[in-house]
C-alpha cells in the first residue's frame, strides 16, 4: 500500500480525531459529575461531595485544555487536508460549526470561572456555574455531530451542472441523521465518563491507594454509568434502524451482509473477506428484525453496489462488533456492580467491590473508550468512499499538496509525547487525603460557604 | 453595507481580538523565555497566574476566525489553507505543544520534572507560533500567491519566506511581547511592576520601529500591500495607530499603570485595522476578493443573524470572566492549580 496524499491525509485526520475523542467525552461527562456532586453537597449538607468535586477540578482543567487544543487542530485540518471538501461543503454545513463555536466559547468561559472560582463565590453560586457548562458542552457535541450527520445524509442543497445551488443551511443542519447520531454520540460521553471515573476509583480502592472519598466517587460514577448504558443501548438500536433505512450499504458493511436477502441472519463476530463473512455465529432472521422490525424484511447486501462504491467491510464490521460487544459488556458490569451493592448494603455498610468485580470495573474504563472509538470508526469507515455521501468522494476532497506524510509523522510524535506526559501527570496525581486541605479554600472556609 | 462585507468585518474583528487577547497570551510565553534578573521566577509566576484563568478563552478568537472563514468564505478558506499549508501546519504544531505544555505546568504538580520541561516547550512554542502566524499574514497580504479560480498555482513556499513576510513575523512577535508586558503593569507591584514596565517600553519602541521599516520593505517586496498605502483611509488608520502607540508609551513612561493596557490593546487593534483596510476588497491579496470567496447569501445572512444571538450569551459571560479575574494582583490569594 502506497502512502499517497489521500492515505496520508486520511491517516492524519483519523489520528487527530482519535486523539481528540479521548478528551471530548470527558469534557462533556465530567461537568455532569461536578454538577451532581456539588448539588448533592448543597442538598444533603455532606461536604464530602464537595471535596470530591474539588479533587476532580484540576483533572477537568487539564483534560479540557488538551481537548481544546486538539479540537483547534481539527478546525485547521479541515482546510489543510480537505480544502476541496470544505470549498464544496463549508457554506452548506458551516452553520452547526459556527453555533458550535458559541457553545464551546461559553463552555470555556464558565469552566474558567468554575476552576478559578472555588474561593470567590458561595457554594450555591459555584454550583450554578456548573449548569451552563453541562448544557453548553452537550450542545456543542450535538452541533459537531450534526455536521458529521450531514456528511452521511447530505441535505439542504442541490447540484446543478456541478455547482452547489439552493443552499438551505438549516435543512442541512437538521438532516435525516442528525437526531440519532446526536443522541447516540452524546450519551456515549456519559457512558465513557461514568465507567472511566469508576475504573480509576475501583483501581485505587483495590490497590489500597489513598484517595479523597473514593467509595463515594465510585458510587457516583457508577450511578451515571448505570443510567446511561441501558439508554445508550436503546439509542444504538434506534441508530441502527435509521442507518438501515438511510445508508443500507453502510448497514450491510456493519453487519457483514453480502447478498441481498429476505429474513437475513444477525452475525455475531465473524470476518468478512472475499465476499463472505466467515466464523460468525448466525441467528436466523434477527438482522431483518433489528433493521426493519420485520423478520422477513429484505436487507440490502454489499453486492448490490459496485466494489468502488463500497466501504471497507472488514474494518466497518469489526469496529461494529467491538462497539456492540463492549457496550453489552458494560451493561453487564454495571448490573453486576449494583446487584452486588444492593445485596450487601445492609450487612456491610463499608462494602467495597471484591477482586473480580474490581477488575471488571477497572476494565470498564478501557471498554468504554473502545466502544466510543469503535463507534466513530463505524460511522467514518462506513461512509467511505464518500466524504459527502453520494455527492463527493473522499479522493475528490483531498488537498493537492504533497508531503502530508511528514506532518503525519510529526503529529504522531507530538501526540505520543503529550499522551506520555498526560499518563505521567495522572498517575502522579496527589490522590492522598491531604489534598483538599492543600488546595485553596480549606475546609473551614468552605463550611461557611461564603469564601 | 453588503452582508459579505459585514462578514469580512467579523473576520477582521476576530483577527483583532485574537491579536489583543491571544497575543498577550503568547507574549506571556515570550517573557517567560526571556525572564532575567533577580526576579526571574517571580516574573514567570506572575505571567502564569495572569494567563491561567483566561488562556482558553483567549484562543477561542482563533476558532471564531477559522469558523467565519469556512462558513462565509469557504473558497478563501480552502485556497489560503492549501497555499500556506506548511506554515499553518507549523503554527498548529506550536499551538498544540504550547497549550498542552501550559496545561501540564498549570494543573500538574509544580516541582516535577514534567512541569520544568513543560515550561521550555511552552516558551519556545510561544515564540514560534506568533512568528509563523505573522508569516502567514504577510503571505496573505504580500500578493505572491497565485491562484486560478480556486486552484492554487504557486508553490508551497510562495509568499511566506520573503522579506515582507519575515517582517510581519517579527511584528507579530513584538506585538505579543508589547501587549503582555503592558497588561502586566497594573497587575503587579513594586520592583516586579518596574520590570514589566521597562519591558513594555522597550517592546513598544521596537514595535514602532518595525512597523515603520515594514513600509519600505513592503514597497520593495509586497506590491499588493504597498499599492494601498496611498489610500486616504489607510493613511488615517496608520496615523491614528501611531498616535495611540505614542499615548501608550506616554502612559508607561509616566507610570499611569491603569491606562497602559487599554492603550496598548487599542494600538494593536489599530495595526490590525490598518492592515485590514489595506487588504480591502481582497481576502487573498490580488487573487481573491471577499465577494468571490463568499458562500451563498442565505448562509452569510444566517451567520450574521446567529452572531448577535450568540453574543447575548457570550458578552455577559466574558465580562463576568474578565471582571472576576482582572482584579487580582500578585498579593491576591493563591489561585487553584
Amino acid at each position: 500500500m502506497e502512502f499517497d496524499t489521500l492515505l496520508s491525509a486520511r491517516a492524519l485526520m483519523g489520528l487527530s480525531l482519535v486523539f481528540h475523542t479521548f478528551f471530548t467525552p470527558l469534557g462533556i461527562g465530567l461537568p455532569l459529575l461536578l454538577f451532581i456532586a456539588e448539588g448533592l453537597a448543597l442538598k444533603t449538607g455532606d461536604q464530602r461531595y464537595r471535596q470530591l468535586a474539588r479533587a476532580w477540578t484540576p483533572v477537568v482543567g487539564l483534560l479540557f485544555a488538551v481537548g481544546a487544543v486538539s479540537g483547534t487542530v481539527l478546525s485547521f485540518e479541515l482546510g489543510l487536508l480537505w480544502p476541496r471538501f470544505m470549498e464544496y461543503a463549508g457554506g452548506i454545513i458551516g452553520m452547526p460549526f459556527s453555533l458550535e463555536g458559541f457553545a464551546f466559547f461559553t463552555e470555556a468561559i464558565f469552566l474558567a470561572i468554575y476552576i478559578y472560582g472555588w474561593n470567590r463565590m458561595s457554594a450555591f453560586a459555584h454550583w450554578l456555574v456548573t449548569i451552563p457548562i453541562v448544557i453548553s458542552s452537550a450542545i456543542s457535541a450535538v452541533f459537531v455531530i450534526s455536521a458529521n450527520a450531514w456528511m452521511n445524509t447530505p441535505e439542504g442543497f442541490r447540484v446543478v451542472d456541478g455547482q452547489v445551488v439552493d443552499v438551505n443551511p438549516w435543512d442541512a443542519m437538521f438532516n435525516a441523521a442528525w437526531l440519532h447520531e446526536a443522541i447516540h454520540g452524546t450519551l456515549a460521553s456519559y457512558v465513557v465518563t461514568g465507567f472511566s471515573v469508576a475504573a480509576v476509583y475501583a483501581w485505587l480502592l483495590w490497590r489500597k491507594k489513598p484517595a479523597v472519598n473514593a467509595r463515594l466517587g465510585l458510587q457516583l460514577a457508577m450511578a451515571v454509568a448505570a443510567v446511561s448504558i441501558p439508554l445508550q443501548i436503546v439509542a444504538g438500536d434506534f441508530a441502527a434502524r435509521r442507518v438501515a433505512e438511510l445508508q443500507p450499504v453502510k448497514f450491510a458493511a456493519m453487519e457483514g451482509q453480502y447478498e441481498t436477502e429476505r429474513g437475513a441472519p444477525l452475525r455475531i463476530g465473524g470476518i468478512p473477506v472475499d465476499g463472505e463473512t466467515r466464523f460468525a455465529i448466525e441467528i436466523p432472521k434477527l438482522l431483518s428484525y433489528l433493521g426493519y422490525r420485520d423478520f422477513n424484511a429484505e436487507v440490502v447486501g454489499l453486492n448490490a453496489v459496485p466494489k468502488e462504491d463500497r466501504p471497507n467491510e472488514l474494518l466497518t464490521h469489526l469496529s461494529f462488533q467491538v462497539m456492540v460487544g463492549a457496550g453489552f459488556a458494560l451493561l453487564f458490569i454495571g448490573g453486576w456492580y449494583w446487584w452486588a451493592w444492593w445485596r450487601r448494603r445492609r450487612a456491610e455498610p463499608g462494602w467495597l467491590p471484591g477482586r473480580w468485580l474490581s477488575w471488571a470495573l477497572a476494565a470498564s474504563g478501557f471498554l468504554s473508550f473502545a466502544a466510543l472509538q469503535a463507534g466513530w470508526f463505524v460511522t467514518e469507515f462506513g461512509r467511505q468512499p464518500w466524504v459527502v455521501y453520494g455527492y463527493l468522494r473522499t479522493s475528490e476532497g483531498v488537498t493537492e499538496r504533497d508531503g502530508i506524510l511528514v506532518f503525519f509523522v510529526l503529529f504522531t510524535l507530538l501526540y505520543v509525547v503529550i499522551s506520555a506526559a498526560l499518563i505521567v501527570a495522572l498517575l502522579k496525581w496527589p490522590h492522598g487525603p491531604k489534598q483538599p486541605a492543600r488546595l485553596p479554600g480549606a475546609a473551614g472556609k468552605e463550611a461557611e460557604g461564603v469564601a | 453595507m453588503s452582508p459579505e462585507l459585514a462578514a469580512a468585518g467579523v473576520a477582521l474583528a476576530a483577527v483583532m481580538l485574537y491579536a489583543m487577547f491571544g497575543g498577550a497570551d503568547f507574549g506571556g510565553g515570550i517573557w517567560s523565555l526571556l525572564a532575567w534578573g533577580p526576579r526571574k521566577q517571580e516574573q514567570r509566576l506572575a505571567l502564569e497566574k495572569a494567563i491561567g484563568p483566561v488562556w482558553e478563552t483567549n484562543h477561542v478568537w482563533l476558532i471564531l476566525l477559522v469558523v467565519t472563514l469556512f462558513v462565509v468564505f469557504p473558497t478563501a478558506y480552502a485556497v489560503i489553507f492549501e497555499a500556506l499549508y506548511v506554515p499553518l501546519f507549523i503554527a498548529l504544531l506550536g499551538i498544540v505543544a504550547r497549550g498542552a505544555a501550559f496545561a501540564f505546568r498549570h494543573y500538574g504538580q509544580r516541582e516535577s520534572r514534567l512541569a520544568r520541561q513543560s515550561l521550555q516547550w511552552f516558551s519556545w512554542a510561544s515564540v514560534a507560533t506568533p512568528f509563523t502566524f505573522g508569516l502567514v499574514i504577510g503571505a496573505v497580504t504580500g500578493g505572491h500567491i497565485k491562484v486560478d479560480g480556486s486552484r492554487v498555482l504557486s508553490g508551497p513556499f510562495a509568499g511566506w519566506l520573503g522579506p515582507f513576510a519575515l517582517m510581519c513575523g517579527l511584528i507579530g512577535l513584538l506585538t505579543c511581547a508589547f501587549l503582555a508586558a503592558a497588561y502586566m503593569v497594573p497587575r503587579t507591584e513594586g520592583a516586579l511592576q518596574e520590570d514589566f514596565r521597562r519591558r513594555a517600553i522597550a517592546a513598544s519602541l521596537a514595535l514602532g520601529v518595525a512597523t515603520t521599516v515594514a513600509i519600505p520593505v513592503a514597497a520593495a517586496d509586497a506590491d499588493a500591500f504597498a499599492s494601498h498605502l496611498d489610500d486616504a483611509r489607510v493613511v488615517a488608520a496608520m496615523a491614528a495607530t501611531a498616535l495611540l502607540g505614542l499615548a501608550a508609551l506616554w502612559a508607561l513612561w509616566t507610570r499611569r499603570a491603569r491606562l497602559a493596557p487599554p492603550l496598548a490593546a487599542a494600538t494593536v487593534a489599530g495595526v490590525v485595522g490598518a492592515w485590514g483596510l489595506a487588504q480591502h476588497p481582497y481576502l487573498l491579496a490580488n487573487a481573491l476578493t471577499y465577494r468571490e470567496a463568499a458562500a451563498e447569501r442565505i448562509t452569510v445572512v444566517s451567520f450574521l443573524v446567529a452572531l448577535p444571538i450568540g453574543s447575548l450569551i457570550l458578552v455577559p459571560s466574558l465580562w463576568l470572566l474578565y471582571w472576576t479575574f482582572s482584579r487580582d494582583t500578585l498579593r491576591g490569594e493563591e489561585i487553584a492549580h
Side-chain angles (χ1 to χ4, degrees):
Chain A
M1 187 161 51
E2 191 195 348
F3 246 90
D4 58 2
T5 297
L6 178 61
L7 196 58
S8 306
R10 285 184 65 188
L12 179 50
M13 196 74 195
L15 175 79
S16 307
L17 270 167
V18 166
F19 186 74
H20 183 59
T21 314
F22 274 106
F23 303 98
T24 40
L26 296 167
I28 296 162
L30 284 171
L32 181 71
L33 279 183
L34 296 173
F35 166 79
I36 296 173
E38 289 218 42
L40 283 173
L42 284 173
K43 191 164 188 294
T44 64
D46 186 344
Q47 288 307 308
R48 289 180 308 158
Y49 287 112
R50 207 162 137 79
Q51 287 162 2
L52 264 183
R54 163 138 277 176
W56 294 334
T57 299
V59 183
V60 177
L62 180 60
L63 295 176
F64 181 78
V66 182
V69 286
S70 59
T72 309
V73 171
L74 295 177
S75 73
F76 270 62
E77 282 182 353
L78 285 174
L80 292 170
L81 302 174
W82 314 105
R84 304 276 80 83
F85 160 59
M86 287 314 288
E87 191 193 343
Y88 188 94
I92 313 172
I93 51 155
M95 221 50 226
F97 276 120
S98 55
L99 294 175
E100 195 273 340
F102 283 117
F104 173 71
F105 211 153
T106 311
E107 185 186 353
I109 292 169
F110 281 96
L111 200 65
I113 296 176
Y114 181 86
I115 292 174
Y116 295 90
W118 273 100
N119 304 326
R120 297 156 194 271
M121 41 184 78
S122 68
F124 181 70
H126 201 243
W127 172 70
L128 285 182
V129 170
T130 62
I131 295 173
I133 307 175
V134 171
I135 295 173
S136 58
S137 61
I139 288 182
S140 95
V142 169
F143 284 137
V144 166
I145 291 171
S146 142
N148 178 271
W150 178 84
M151 292 159 71
N152 281 292
T153 55
E155 280 175 51
F157 67 105
R158 289 191 310 128
V159 176
V160 177
D161 300 333
Q163 292 294 310
V164 173
V165 293
D166 288 345
V167 170
N168 184 332
W170 304 101
D171 284 352
M173 189 162 129
F174 297 107
N175 57 75
W178 89 273
L179 187 66
H180 73 260
E181 279 204 24
I183 294 174
H184 198 51
T186 311
L187 270 175
S189 301
Y190 301 122
V191 172
V192 165
T193 306
F195 282 107
S196 32
V197 172
V200 172
Y201 279 123
W203 184 73
L204 291 173
L205 283 166
W206 179 247
R207 298 294 306 271
K208 300 201 164 38
K209 300 250 183 192
V212 185
N213 302 318
R215 219 170 61 86
L216 206 60
L218 176 62
Q219 198 85 334
L220 263 187
M222 282 310 289
V224 169
V227 171
S228 53
I229 186 69
L231 290 176
Q232 179 68 327
I233 289 175
V234 174
D237 172 59
F238 170 54
R241 272 187 291 143
R242 293 293 285 162
V243 173
E245 186 185 329
L246 299 165
Q247 292 174 284
V249 178
K250 183 192 232 179
F251 188 70
M254 281 156 60
E255 304 287 357
Q257 179 79 27
Y258 279 97
E259 297 301 329
T260 302
E261 63 178 317
R262 294 191 167 274
L266 180 72
R267 293 177 189 78
I268 297 173
I271 303 171
V273 274
D274 302 330
E276 192 189 350
T277 302
R278 291 182 197 173
F279 314 121
I281 303 168
E282 295 198 0
I283 305 174
K285 297 197 177 208
L286 192 57
L287 185 60
S288 286
Y289 181 77
L290 287 176
Y292 304 96
R293 287 297 181 271
D294 171 2
F295 285 107
N296 292 311
E298 185 178 87
V299 177
V300 174
L302 285 165
N303 292 341
V305 292
K307 198 141 180 121
E308 65 270 19
D309 289 344
R310 290 184 211 164
N312 181 321
E313 63 266 32
L314 182 66
L315 293 173
T316 314
H317 179 71
L318 290 184
S319 306
F320 185 63
Q321 299 299 310
V322 168
M323 178 186 75
V324 174
F328 277 98
L330 291 173
L331 181 72
F332 170 74
I333 295 169
W336 182 6
Y337 174 87
W338 285 108
W339 176 70
W341 174 83
W342 183 79
R343 231 173 31 134
R344 305 281 176 83
R345 86 208 124 107
R346 293 234 169 73
E348 298 174 57
W351 173 79
L352 287 176
R355 175 204 297 232
W356 293 110
L357 179 53
S358 293
W359 280 105
L361 288 170
S364 73
F366 294 98
L367 283 173
S368 64
F369 272 108
L372 177 89
Q373 298 285 5
W376 269 114
F377 287 178
V378 173
T379 314
E380 300 296 273
F381 283 133
R383 195 191 60 237
Q384 298 300 329
W386 304 98
V387 62
V388 182
Y389 194 71
Y391 286 90
L392 190 76
R393 283 174 189 268
T394 311
S395 57
E396 295 168 314
V398 76
T399 179
E400 285 167 10
R401 296 300 203 191
D402 45 20
I404 301 298
L405 187 58
V406 175
F407 292 105
F408 172 70
V409 172
L410 288 174
F411 272 91
T412 306
L413 291 175
L414 186 61
Y415 287 149
V416 167
V417 170
I418 293 175
S419 307
L422 198 63
I423 290 166
V424 169
L426 292 176
L427 284 180
K428 287 196 173 168
W429 210 271
H431 299 288
K434 278 184 183 160
Q435 195 204 4
R438 273 198 284 132
L439 278 167
K445 243 181 167 182
E446 270 184 17
E448 296 160 25
V450 288
Chain B
M1 185 167 29
S2 70
E4 290 77 17
L5 181 60
V10 172
L12 181 63
V15 180
M16 247 180 217
L17 287 161
Y18 187 54
M20 282 154 67
F21 293 100
D25 215 308
F26 286 123
I30 296 172
W31 291 122
S32 239
L33 184 71
L34 298 180
W36 77 81
R39 288 167 298 279
K40 208 159 121 176
Q41 289 312 321
E42 282 100 317
Q43 289 168 13
R44 286 188 177 141
L45 192 66
L47 287 162
E48 189 193 321
K49 282 193 170 181
I51 296 171
V54 291
W55 81 275
E56 301 270 11
T57 45
N58 286 346
H59 291 277
V60 179
W61 298 117
L62 176 64
I63 309 267
L64 176 66
L65 172 66
V66 174
V67 166
T68 308
L69 281 181
F70 76 57
V71 177
V72 188
F73 305 109
T75 310
Y77 174 72
V79 167
I80 292 172
F81 274 65
E82 189 159 26
L84 293 167
Y85 78 120
V86 178
L88 284 171
F89 259 127
I90 294 169
L92 197 53
L93 284 164
I95 287 176
V96 179
R98 181 183 187 278
F102 185 77
F104 284 127
R105 182 168 165 71
H106 197 62
Y107 296 112
Q109 277 178 302
R110 179 68 30 175
E111 301 310 328
S112 61
R113 221 178 91 207
L114 180 63
R116 281 199 307 277
Q117 284 173 348
S118 296
L119 182 68
Q120 290 293 318
W121 282 71
F122 170 72
S123 307
W124 283 106
S126 295
V127 174
T129 311
F131 181 73
T132 320
F133 275 136
L135 296 182
V136 170
I137 291 266
V140 167
T141 313
H144 294 290
I145 296 172
K146 302 279 175 269
V147 304
D148 172 25
S150 62
R151 301 278 143 173
V152 181
L153 299 179
S154 45
F157 298 99
W160 60 280
L161 287 175
F164 179 68
L166 289 169
M167 203 67 219
C168 289
L170 180 66
I171 291 172
L173 274 183
L174 291 171
T175 305
C176 298
F178 169 54
L179 280 175
Y183 285 7
M184 289 308 288
V185 169
R187 310 181 109 228
T188 47
E189 292 178 326
L192 198 55
Q193 185 181 44
E194 200 55 23
D195 286 350
F196 284 116
R197 179 178 156 265
R198 279 200 227 112
R199 281 161 178 71
I201 290 174
S204 75
L205 293 172
L207 184 61
V209 172
T211 41
T212 312
V213 172
I215 293 170
V217 174
D221 180 49
D223 297 342
F225 185 74
S227 65
H228 291 275
L229 291 179
D230 51 2
D231 184 298
R233 287 176 308 173
V234 178
V235 172
M238 291 203 302
T241 305
L243 284 176
L244 283 169
L246 287 172
L249 187 58
W250 163 82
L252 287 164
W253 199 268
T254 57
R255 295 193 161 77
R256 285 170 167 84
R258 296 264 152 214
L259 277 180
L263 286 170
T267 309
V268 170
V271 173
V272 177
W275 164 79
L277 284 175
Q279 271 284 80
H280 183 85
Y282 290 100
L283 290 177
L284 181 62
N286 286 357
L288 198 62
T289 65
Y290 67 85
R291 263 181 236 286
E292 292 161 350
E296 284 207 16
R297 181 147 290 196
I298 179 163
T299 300
V300 182
V301 172
S302 302
F303 176 81
L304 290 173
V305 169
L307 212 55
I309 297 173
S311 309
L312 280 183
I313 301 171
L314 276 189
V315 172
S317 311
L318 261 184
W319 177 82
L320 183 65
L321 176 71
Y322 287 118
W323 176 77
T324 310
F325 300 111
S326 67
R327 296 166 301 166
D328 295 352
T329 63
L330 248 196
R331 292 165 308 152
E333 53 196 318
E334 261 310 298
I335 53 167
H337 72 266

